[in-house]
Amino acid sequence: MPAITADGLRGTDFQDTNRKALAEAIMYAIKSEDGEIEPSLMEAALKTGLQRQEIRHVARLARKEVQADPSKLEKIQNDLEQLVASKHISDTVPSREEKKPEKTTRYVPKAAWALPHSAHVASSKAVLSALQSSTYEVDPDLMEEAIQAGWTREHILRAVEAAKPKKRPIEAETTNAEPEVNATIPETPGIITATT
């Protein structure tokens, strides 16, 4: 029989007659040609406290299992007999372990893309204040504003270091002199050739 947990059946009235009516309704649906439950059986099964759609759903699942594998009919009949014979729900229906709800925390990504536009503006102002300073020091008020917006001090300082202009090494041999021209006088008069 399809799994029904005790949590789903709390507050239901499982007297002997009601359990028997529920089992009969499910078996009727399995054996009927159209899979429907006879109205009188449905009314008796409703006295368990289950809703009409719940009873139909369990009956459809049981019918589907039997249609897929006819050998499961015997197992479903045994399950229904156990349901009728039991005195307590826990005898037939497995109970889920009661779990304490876990404390959930709201996910807050730490990546820069998760910060709002105003935080990026505050970061940019802080970095630009350092670049406009001759000592590359961040304006303390702008640094505080960026930290309050969600940035860390280290992030702002790394951004300043990354934005600083890079010093290029000076090439010692580079001169602005004109290239040397070697002029030779050819043996023929009037023609001068130059090589570079």
Side-chain angles (χ1 to χ4, degrees), residues 83-188:
L83 175 68
V84 171
S86 68
K87 296 293 180 195
H88 302 287
I89 292 177
S90 60
D91 293 344
T92 59
V93 180
S95 175
R96 284 189 234 146
E97 287 184 24
E98 294 292 325
K99 293 183 181 178
K100 292 181 182 176
E102 295 179 17
K103 183 179 179 182
T104 57
T105 56
R106 187 171 161 260
Y107 172 71
V108 179
K110 294 181 181 175
W113 55 263
L115 294 174
H117 177 72
S118 59
H120 289 279
V121 170
S123 170
S124 296
K125 285 181 180 179
V127 171
L128 286 174
S129 74
L131 293 177
Q132 292 171 350
S133 161
S134 61
T135 58
Y136 294 106
E137 291 182 14
V138 180
D139 182 326
D141 294 335
L142 294 174
M143 175 66 89
E144 185 63 31
E145 185 180 325
I147 290 172
Q148 287 178 354
W151 297 102
T152 62
R153 179 179 222 54
E154 292 76 26
H155 177 81
I156 299 296
L157 294 177
R158 279 195 313 262
V160 168
E161 285 300 316
K164 280 185 187 178
K166 307 291 184 240
K167 294 181 181 178
R168 292 184 176 172
I170 300 176
E171 296 178 18
E173 298 182 20
T174 305
T175 60
N176 290 336
E178 302 258 342
E180 260 184 54
V181 177
N182 293 328
T184 56
I185 301 175
E187 294 176 5
T188 53

Side-chain angles (χ1 to χ4, degrees), residues 28-29 32-37 63:
Y28 186 87
S32 71
E33 288 183 23
D34 60 355
E36 291 298 317
I37 301 171
R63 181 179 165 86

Side-chain angles (χ1 to χ4, degrees), residues 18-92:
N18 294 342
R19 287 183 296 205
K20 187 174 181 181
L22 178 62
E24 287 175 0
I26 292 171
M27 284 307 297
Y28 186 87
I30 291 171
K31 293 179 179 179
S32 71
E33 288 183 23
D34 60 355
E36 291 298 317
I37 301 171
E38 183 179 302
S40 62
L41 290 174
M42 177 61 85
E43 291 305 317
L46 287 171
K47 291 180 183 175
T48 61
L50 295 174
Q51 295 179 1
R52 186 177 305 272
Q53 62 265 27
E54 292 172 324
I55 296 169
R56 283 185 179 154
H57 179 69
V58 171
R60 273 191 225 121
L61 289 177
R63 181 179 165 86
K64 189 184 271 186
E65 282 187 27
V66 170
Q67 286 176 339
D69 185 7
S71 66
K72 288 190 177 181
L73 179 62
E74 187 176 326
K75 181 187 181 315
I76 291 174
Q77 285 175 334
N78 289 337
D79 289 347
L80 292 173
E81 288 171 9
Q82 284 181 358
L83 175 68
V84 171
S86 68
K87 296 293 180 195
H88 302 287
I89 292 177
S90 60
D91 293 344
T92 59

